[in-house]
């Protein structure tokens, strides 16, 4: 017996565990992440979660973030949430063709749910989602947006494959003797806002960064790396989050004269992901 229903609070507990198991699942799919970032767009912005159950077992789910305007629900992406889309259970023992057919059927149902919202402006999928055809069938326009995934098999090989400019910047940062400290949310916010102002970009509020940092620290899934010169002046800062599959560069900022600091921090985050997180 198969049924699709909007998930309750208890269902969201199951859902968050399900996200960990799913190939498509990321930290950005979880309900607790959405509750952190949804408020950025205002009190009328929220995320609905739908689950597919087979014999009362959760086998697929989808988060849909939207803003209510009068009687309309406008689907849009949560801030600081690069990935969304359906998450699936990998059914052991099922032939690949049957698995693909089942996912296509579920995606068609999800597409109809998404279509029932009045307007869909932007809805990103996970980098591991492989079948968008059902959404095209339902009239959605599909675009390709690229991201970069770095496989951390061999750090020596990774460094050798960097371009010369990047390698020299890392060497320059090491030679300059920059100090790298962790956990300085205040310095991260300062450097982030400095960068946004310099580029005339709108910035995310310090309160949201603080909320994300606090919650992720409680769940042991974030770290901030900040590089300082010999006079303890912050030069660059990087906000890293992770789940049980990979880590993600969430945000960063640099001073007016960062020199080689950000390249050094990115290399530090790569090493941390490989050696400490074992991802």
């Amino acid at each position: 017996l198969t049924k699709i229903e909007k998930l309750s609070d208890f269902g969201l507990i199951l859902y968050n565990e399900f996200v960990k198991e799913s190939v498509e699942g990321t930290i950005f799919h979880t309900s607790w992440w959405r509750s952190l970032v949804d408020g950025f767009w205002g009190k009328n912005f929220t995320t609905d979660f739908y689950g597919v159950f087979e014999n009362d077992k959760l086998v697929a789910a989808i988060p849909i973030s939207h803003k209510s305007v009068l009687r309309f629900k406008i689907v849009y992406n949560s801030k600081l949430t690069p990935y969304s889309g359906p998450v699936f259970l990998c059914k052991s023992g099922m032939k690949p063709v049957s698995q693909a057919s089942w996912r296509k059927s579920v995606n068609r149902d999800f597409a109809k749910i998404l279509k029932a919202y009045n307007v869909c402006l932007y809805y990103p999928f996970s980098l591991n989602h492989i079948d968008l055809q059902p959404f095209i069938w339902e009239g959605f326009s599909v675009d390709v947006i690229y991201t970069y995934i770095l496989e951390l098999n061999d750090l020596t090989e990774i460094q050798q494959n960097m371009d010369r400019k990047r390698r020299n910047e890392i060497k320059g940062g090491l030679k300059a003797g920059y100090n790298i400290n962790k956990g300085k949310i205040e310095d991260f916010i300062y450097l982030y806002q400095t960068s946004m102002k310099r580029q005339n970009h709108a910035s995310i509020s310090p309160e949201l960064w603080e909320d994300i940092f606090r919650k992720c620290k409680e769940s042991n899934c974030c770290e901030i790396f900040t590089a300082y010169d010999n006079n303890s002046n912050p030069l660059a800062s990087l906000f890293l989050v992770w789940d049980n599959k990979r880590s993600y560069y969430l945000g960063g900022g640099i001073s007016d004269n960062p020199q080689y600091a950000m390249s050094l921090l990115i290399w530090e985050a790569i090493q941390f992901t490989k050696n400490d997180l074992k991802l």
Side-chain angles (χ1 to χ4, degrees):
L1 178 64
T2 301
K3 61 180 179 179
I4 301 178
E5 61 184 44
K6 191 173 179 180
L7 298 177
S8 62
D9 290 342
F10 176 74
L12 291 178
I13 297 174
L14 299 175
Y15 165 80
N16 287 331
E17 290 301 314
F18 182 78
V19 165
K20 295 179 183 178
E21 300 175 20
S22 171
V23 172
E24 298 87 1
T26 69
I27 184 175
F28 308 108
H29 283 79
T30 61
S31 64
W32 64 265
W33 181 272
R34 299 301 177 99
S35 68
L36 278 172
V37 299
D38 282 355
F40 179 85
W41 294 123
K43 63 180 180 180
N44 292 328
F45 193 92
T46 188
T47 301
D48 297 330
F49 299 86
Y50 295 88
V52 177
F53 293 85
E54 291 183 356
N55 298 320
D56 295 326
K57 181 180 180 180
L58 184 63
V59 295
I62 185 172
I64 300 177
S65 298
H66 63 89
K67 184 171 185 176
S68 297
V69 180
L70 299 178
R71 296 183 179 181
F72 290 89
K73 290 183 178 180
I74 301 174
V75 175
Y76 198 70
N77 194 36
S78 299
K79 203 68 176 176
L80 295 174
T81 306
Y83 303 119
S84 193
V87 289
F88 291 92
L89 175 71
C90 182
K91 294 187 175 183
S92 59
M94 180 181 283
K95 293 181 179 179
V97 65
S98 299
Q99 187 100 229
S101 178
W102 169 69
R103 289 182 178 227
K104 191 179 293 291
S105 175
V106 172
N107 268 335
R108 190 75 183 265
D109 290 332
F110 283 153
K112 291 177 180 178
I113 292 174
L114 195 59
K115 192 175 182 180
Y117 289 75
N118 302 104
V119 179
C120 182
L121 295 180
Y122 176 52
Y123 187 83
F125 284 77
S126 166
L127 56 94
N128 286 309
H129 195 86
I130 59 175
D131 190 358
L132 295 174
Q133 190 178 51
F135 295 88
I136 296 173
W137 286 342
E138 291 299 321
F140 290 95
S141 297
V142 176
D143 291 320
V144 177
I145 300 175
Y146 291 92
T147 188
Y148 295 94
I149 306 297
L150 184 62
E151 297 289 342
L152 303 184
N153 297 320
D154 188 325
L155 292 180
T156 300
E157 182 179 355
I158 289 172
Q159 192 170 37
Q160 289 174 345
N161 287 334
M162 291 178 181
D163 61 56
R164 181 180 297 178
K165 180 176 182 293
R166 192 68 64 194
R167 289 199 305 270
N168 288 340
E169 286 177 347
I170 293 172
K171 291 178 182 178
L174 292 171
K175 186 177 181 180
Y178 295 151
N179 298 310
I180 298 178
N181 292 334
K182 299 176 184 177
K184 292 282 189 176
I185 182 64
E186 300 85 2
D187 288 342
F188 167 81
I189 291 173
Y190 165 73
L191 290 170
Y192 165 79
Q193 290 184 320
T194 297
S195 294
M196 294 299 102
K197 289 178 181 178
R198 186 168 55 243
Q199 301 174 63
N200 292 319
H201 289 330
S203 63
I204 293 167
S205 69
E207 291 77 16
L208 179 54
W209 283 118
E210 290 169 353
D211 287 346
I212 292 173
F213 181 70
R214 181 170 54 253
K215 176 61 178 179
C216 288
K217 271 297 184 180
E218 290 174 0
S219 301
N220 190 31
C221 61
C222 82
E223 190 56 88
I224 289 175
F225 301 84
T226 306
Y228 301 84
D229 63 18
N230 292 326
N231 294 318
S232 299
N233 297 311
L235 300 176
S237 192
L238 180 155
F239 200 128
L240 192 76
V241 298
W242 60 82
D243 49 39
N244 61 326
K245 303 176 183 72
R246 61 190 67 86
S247 66
Y248 311 86
Y249 176 103
L250 190 64
I254 57 176
S255 66
D256 293 332
N257 186 27
Q259 298 181 2
Y260 314 115
M262 183 53 81
S263 293
L264 184 62
L265 285 184
I266 291 174
W267 178 236
E268 183 75 14
I270 289 172
Q271 295 180 94
F272 176 82
T273 300
K274 172 69 173 177
N275 297 328
D276 294 72
L277 301 181
K278 311 296 183 184
L279 296 176

